[in-house]
Amino acid sequence: GENVEQHPSTLSVQEGDSAVIKCTYSDSASNYFPWYKQELGKRPQLIIDIRSNVGEKKDQRIAVTLNKTAKHFSLHITETQPEDSAVYFCAASSGTRFGAGTRLTVKP
Amino acid sequence: ETGVTQSPTHLIKTRGQQVTLRCSSQSGHNTVSWYQQALGQGPQFIFQYYREEENGRGNFPPRFSGLQFPNYSSELNVNALELDDSALYLCASNLLTLDTQYFGPGTRLTVL
């Protein structure tokens, strides 16, 4: 089955800096790659997604890039704010196989 | 809020018992997926239902089973509970398989 690896497991940045989280996947048939933000005690919330026919997508401070040849995709958050602090998950294989998560801390 | 609801919110069971968790999807969403999320880990895919038929399954034993009903509700049943089954159970619904999933708030199951 699909194997999704996510790095780093923890990430600490200063407010205003950029944060990058990377994921790799194993199934070349994967065609949908969402990213979720999960705050403590809450449900995962979709923040951005990308489909396999697109290489990059941007939504304000958040962007995702996809390299199908290398089977990896990345989340980029610019101008980070303390409220960006949460656990972020990537997913592949029609969005049902999740990475282990990255705990992002943005220091004021 | 996503329009996806789950019940109960919390549940405590003992090892060997059986449990049924319920999910109500957004109206019109004929795809529902169930996940197990252990503390500090990512959601693990249990299975997906599309129009009341199982449409994919993760690496979970047969004692994890499900049902989906025509009224956009679904159930996750777990038999012979084990201590390791303690986790947050999430359901998520979407209109199409490659469409955005909307998660419910989850049911936290504790097995003693």
Side-chain angles (χ1 to χ4, degrees), chain A residues 31-32 34 36 38 41-46 49 51 89 93-101 103, chain B residues 1-2 4 33 35 37 40-43 45 48 57-58 88 90 97-101 103-105:
Chain A
N31 48 16
Y32 177 59
Y36 293 89
Q38 188 176 30
K42 296 191 175 181
R43 71 191 80 188
Q45 283 190 297
L46 180 78
D49 58 11
R51 287 171 171 78
F89 295 100
S93 186
S94 67
T96 57
R97 297 328 200 252
F98 282 69
R103 180 172 299 280
Chain B
E1 298 300 333
T2 63
V4 181
S33 302
Y35 298 87
Q37 186 176 24
Q41 297 184 22
F45 176 65
Q48 182 181 86
R57 188 177 184 92
L88 179 69
L90 295 159
T97 304
L98 296 186
D99 201 3
T100 302
Q101 289 188 95
F103 280 86

Side-chain angles (χ1 to χ4, degrees), chain B residues 35-53:
Chain B
Y35 298 87
Q36 180 194 69
Q37 186 176 24
L39 203 60
Q41 297 184 22
Q44 297 295 308
F45 176 65
I46 302 174
F47 45 59
Q48 182 181 86
Y49 277 78
Y50 173 69
R51 294 186 174 180
E52 303 162 49
E53 298 284 334

